[in-house]
Amino acid sequence: MNDVTRPRILVVGAGFAGVECVRRLERKLAPDEADVTLVTPFAYQLYLPLLPQVASGVLTPQSIAVSLRRSKKYRTRIIPGGAIGVDLKSKVCVIRTITDKTVNEPYDYIVLAPGSVTRTFDIPGLTEHAFGMKTLAEAAYIRDHVISQLDLADASDDPAERASRLQFVVVGGGYAGTETAACLQKLTHAAVKRYPRIDPALIKWHLIDIAPKLMPEMGDKLGRSAMEILARRGIDVSLGVSIAKAGPEEVTFTDGRVVPTRTLIWTAGVVASPLIATLGAETVRGRLAVNAEMTLPGQDGVFALGDSAAVPDKAKDDENAICPPTAQHAMRQGKHVADNVIATLRGKPLTPYEHKDLGLVVDLGGTDAVSKPLGIELRGIPAQFAARGYHWAALRTNVAKVRVATNWTLNALAGDDFVRTGFQARKAARLKDFEFTDAYLTPEQVQAHVEGADRKE
């Protein structure tokens, strides 16, 4: 084969699914068998479950950003940017690079693993005033912001200003929101000892969720255990409650309460990447409808997986069940899709994806945790051991494992210096500034762009 005739495999997204797919393609394909290209704004894989620990300063940002170029066998071409549209008919992906240049990338096979974005609702002031917890930049920014609130409260003589700076609201009672509230509360609880002018009783954390239970994925018993841990730490948990409106200095709850705050963190779930809507294909609750082999029915050479794909969950008895958007499914789907892409290239049959969920682990900071590995309910130190052991084992490189283990050890022995790194700019950045959800094209715009480029050629 020569360069002209080699099949072109385009992988969109460098999350758990996309990276595992690329790694397997590199290992199992001969160099002259196909060209592999990866579209991602950043040349690293983010270990998303540990973001709350970056926000709280337990881990450094670099420790959970695993470089894609560290492997000596790495040969994938990386396009630094994000896919903003796909023309399935023309087999062209429209990409906006990090320099805001729009380019067309043709492909023979495409693997769609763009992941998810924070789910928001039409709540007045939400995207303008809330922080998300979906990217490394957001986690680093939130840490700076929380410490700055302590600095500013300490310097202020205005009781109203102090009250608003020392109250923090987290929306989302799933494992992401619960971990975020728990880890950041630990941060402020430890930091306030260095601020003699601040009364620790003035620092209040609120965790709210519209659902009737905290972390329903963990079951009733572990959910109650987590509630008890949070209550012991003084975190106010309100269930059946959400946000009615958000402002720069206060948040109004749906139960009528008005909380003075400068910190609103929104972790109320995720939705599939807006890229999926550009395909004009069938979706299931916003996720691309695919079969068990993770191919798009009726389309040649289109694979989809991870948070953006409604992959049938064959491990469950319910024929309508789809795999939840978790890291363990994404990693295994990535490997499986790579095998199916290779099978397609070599004219072999595809195999369906099936994996039984291994359970969830929730790290609440310190020695507090609740975990349910393989259905076994754990609390306290055993749960913490399971949680950190699982995360440590799932990190992709030995370098990342050493960095994370070192960070955990150093934090446990020496604590935190509560230093702001300077990520916080003069102009405040909020949820809408980090995820660029307004960058995507409509199906009609994608088609017009591709056809326009063809005419120029």
Side-chain angles (χ1 to χ4, degrees), residues 277-329:
T278 73
L279 275 65
E282 182 185 352
T283 59
V284 177
R285 296 195 291 276
R287 300 167 71 181
L288 193 63
V290 297
N291 54 32
E293 290 76 24
M294 290 175 283
T295 63
L296 184 61
Q299 297 291 336
D300 178 40
V302 180
F303 298 81
L305 65 161
D307 291 5
S308 286
V311 179
D313 193 345
K314 294 294 185 181
K316 294 183 178 177
D317 295 333
D318 184 0
E319 62 179 16
N320 296 317
I322 59 177
C323 296
T326 61
Q328 61 177 285
H329 276 294

Side-chain angles (χ1 to χ4, degrees), residues 47-91:
Y47 192 81
L48 199 64
L50 292 178
L51 269 186
Q53 295 192 35
V54 171
S56 62
V58 175
L59 298 175
T60 60
Q62 187 183 9
S63 62
I64 66 166
V66 184
S67 173
L68 300 180
R69 300 186 188 275
R70 175 166 284 277
S71 171
K72 294 179 181 179
K73 297 180 180 180
Y74 194 83
R75 64 175 189 269
T76 297
R77 169 182 168 234
I78 296 178
I79 300 178
I84 59 173
V86 179
D87 188 331
L88 297 175
K89 183 178 179 181
S90 301
K91 288 198 168 187

Side-chain angles (χ1 to χ4, degrees), residues 14 21 36 56-57 72 74 81 128 149 171 188 191 194 226 256 302 357 399 416 437:
C21 178
V36 181
S56 62
K72 294 179 181 179
Y74 194 83
E128 291 81 10
Q149 298 312 297
V171 183
T188 56
R194 314 290 178 89
V302 180
D357 201 308
V399 171
D416 195 335
T437 52

Side-chain angles (χ1 to χ4, degrees), residues 32-334:
D32 62 349
E33 200 170 355
D35 290 327
V36 181
T37 300
L38 176 65
V39 181
T40 175
F42 308 104
Y44 62 75
Q45 178 192 12
L46 176 64
Y47 192 81
L48 199 64
L50 292 178
L51 269 186
Q53 295 192 35
V54 171
S56 62
V58 175
L59 298 175
T60 60
Q62 187 183 9
S63 62
I64 66 166
V66 184
S67 173
L68 300 180
R69 300 186 188 275
R70 175 166 284 277
S71 171
K72 294 179 181 179
K73 297 180 180 180
Y74 194 83
R75 64 175 189 269
T76 297
R77 169 182 168 234
I78 296 178
I79 300 178
I84 59 173
V86 179
D87 188 331
L88 297 175
K89 183 178 179 181
S90 301
K91 288 198 168 187
V92 171
C93 181
V94 182
I95 299 166
R96 183 166 293 163
T97 69
I98 57 175
T99 57
D100 278 337
K101 181 181 178 182
T102 303
V103 299
N104 292 343
E105 183 67 21
Y107 63 84
D108 297 301
Y109 302 92
I110 188 168
V111 177
L112 296 169
S116 56
V117 296
T118 301
R119 179 181 61 181
T120 58
F121 301 97
D122 190 19
I123 298 172
L126 176 62
T127 57
E128 291 81 10
H129 301 295
F131 299 101
M133 184 61 82
K134 197 77 174 65
T135 68
L136 194 61
E138 284 175 311
Y141 189 94
I142 286 174
R143 173 176 166 79
D144 266 12
H145 171 81
V146 169
I147 296 174
S148 74
Q149 298 312 297
L150 298 179
D151 289 342
L152 292 166
D154 183 64
S156 176
D157 292 320
D158 181 353
E161 180 184 356
R162 278 193 166 196
S164 67
R165 294 197 183 280
L166 295 178
Q167 292 208 67
F168 307 88
V169 178
V170 179
V171 183
Y175 54 89
T178 303
E179 283 189 332
T180 297
C183 290
L184 287 173
Q185 186 274 339
K186 291 278 288 184
L187 167 67
T188 56
H189 178 74
V192 75
K193 298 173 184 176
R194 314 290 178 89
Y195 295 85
R197 297 181 70 246
I198 296 179
D199 180 358
L202 294 177
I203 299 178
K204 297 179 181 178
W205 280 87
H206 303 267
L207 175 62
I208 69 172
D209 195 288
I210 196 65
K213 297 179 181 178
L214 188 71
M215 294 190 298
E217 312 96 326
M218 301 295 291
D220 290 344
K221 291 183 179 179
L222 291 183
R224 285 196 298 271
S225 295
M227 286 274 286
E228 292 169 2
I229 291 169
L230 299 181
R232 187 175 70 241
R233 291 198 198 162
I235 299 176
D236 178 39
V237 180
S238 298
L239 301 176
V241 178
S242 188
I243 296 295
K245 64 179 179 179
E249 297 181 11
E250 66 178 29
V251 170
T252 303
F253 292 177
T254 52
D255 62 4
R257 282 181 291 165
V258 178
V259 176
T261 182
R262 311 287 180 103
T263 309
L264 170 61
I265 302 173
W266 182 267
T267 63
V270 296
V271 293
S273 166
L275 178 67
I276 298 305
T278 73
L279 275 65
E282 182 185 352
T283 59
V284 177
R285 296 195 291 276
R287 300 167 71 181
L288 193 63
V290 297
N291 54 32
E293 290 76 24
M294 290 175 283
T295 63
L296 184 61
Q299 297 291 336
D300 178 40
V302 180
F303 298 81
L305 65 161
D307 291 5
S308 286
V311 179
D313 193 345
K314 294 294 185 181
K316 294 183 178 177
D317 295 333
D318 184 0
E319 62 179 16
N320 296 317
I322 59 177
C323 296
T326 61
Q328 61 177 285
H329 276 294
M331 293 169 71
R332 289 165 177 81
Q333 288 172 7

Side-chain angles (χ1 to χ4, degrees), residues 47 327-328 331-332 358 361 385-395:
Y47 192 81
Q328 61 177 285
M331 293 169 71
R332 289 165 177 81
L358 298 177
V361 293
F385 183 81
R388 293 199 171 182
Y390 174 81
H391 291 316
W392 186 84
L395 289 165

